[in-house]
Amino acid sequence: MEVWDVYDKNRSKTNKSHVRGAKLADGDYHIVVHVWIRNNKGEILLTKRHKDKSFPNLWECPGGSILAGESSLDGVIREVKEEIGINLSRSNGKMIKSERRDAYNDFYDVWLFDQSFEIPETVLQEDEVSDIKWVTKSELENMYNSKYIVPTLEYFKVICFKKTTP
């Protein structure tokens, strides 16, 4: 059972918790993280969603909801370890986008990590991730335009084509 801390519209933690799967009350929010990983070749890591999840068989970046007691960064580290078996170095990442999404009752934190590893080093969480690969920025854009990427990730263009320092 996954339990989340509940936040108000100003991202102040309330004294409430929420069990995943139940509808959040109006005015209640939780925190969701997305993790873009860029290797030393400038390639971006993509994971393929399991066929039984929403947006089945589409590509995305790792991520999910943070658990009660976790910070956004703690949630990033845990989600990546769970989904692909990689230990991210906390110092390799930075939050590059955060917004409140009223339609989803969440705060959406987007992280970019500069960290290299080889695909054979990964261990995929079978009920979440069915495949994994590194892609170039142009391959990512072509995949998005061909509708192979989860549609809510269109913001990747800002991340991939904006100059960021490692």
Side-chain angles (χ1 to χ4, degrees):
M1 176 172 53
E2 196 170 290
V3 179
W4 306 331
D5 288 323
V6 175
Y7 297 81
D8 68 18
K9 69 177 184 174
N10 297 312
R11 200 172 172 147
S12 295
K13 193 185 289 188
T14 68
N15 290 323
K16 298 187 277 185
S17 60
H18 180 82
V19 176
R20 181 183 184 152
K23 183 172 174 10
L24 278 162
D26 286 342
D28 285 352
Y29 296 82
H30 71 289
I31 297 174
V32 172
V33 294
H34 272 186
V35 189
W36 294 92
I37 303 170
R38 180 174 55 192
N39 67 17
N40 58 6
K41 298 175 191 170
E43 297 168 320
I44 306 296
L45 186 79
L46 292 179
T47 58
K48 191 174 191 181
R49 293 176 66 82
H50 188 274
K51 64 181 176 59
D52 296 332
K53 294 186 65 143
S54 60
F55 301 113
N57 297 313
L58 292 184
W59 293 88
E60 66 178 349
C61 60
S65 296
I66 71 168
L67 302 178
E70 284 184 325
S71 68
S72 182
L73 180 55
D74 291 338
V76 164
I77 301 298
R78 179 188 48 77
E79 284 287 348
V80 170
K81 179 65 174 172
E82 285 178 3
E83 290 185 12
I84 64 171
I86 294 296
N87 291 311
L88 290 177
S89 174
R90 297 170 85 81
S91 62
N92 288 346
K94 65 180 177 180
M95 188 187 308
I96 56 174
K97 175 181 169 74
S98 182
E99 67 182 9
R100 187 181 79 210
R101 300 187 306 178
D102 294 329
Y104 299 101
N105 290 81
D106 67 21
F107 288 94
Y108 186 57
D109 293 349
V110 179
W111 290 80
L112 176 64
F113 275 74
D114 284 300
Q115 187 162 328
S116 294
F117 52 86
E118 300 298 323
I119 296 299
E121 296 175 52
T122 64
V123 177
L124 306 185
Q125 185 180 12
E126 290 181 15
D127 59 343
E128 292 276 336
V129 178
S130 63
D131 201 359
I132 188 170
K133 65 181 175 179
W134 292 107
V135 297
T136 64
K137 292 174 184 179
S138 62
E139 288 170 326
L140 176 56
E141 188 163 35
N142 288 338
M143 289 174 70
Y144 182 81
N145 292 336
S146 298
K147 301 189 183 325
Y148 294 127
I149 304 289
V150 172
T152 58
L153 300 180
E154 181 177 26
Y155 73 85
F156 81 85
K157 295 173 185 174
V158 174
I159 291 159
C160 290
F161 299 106
K162 177 178 149 184
K163 291 285 186 204
T164 56
T165 54

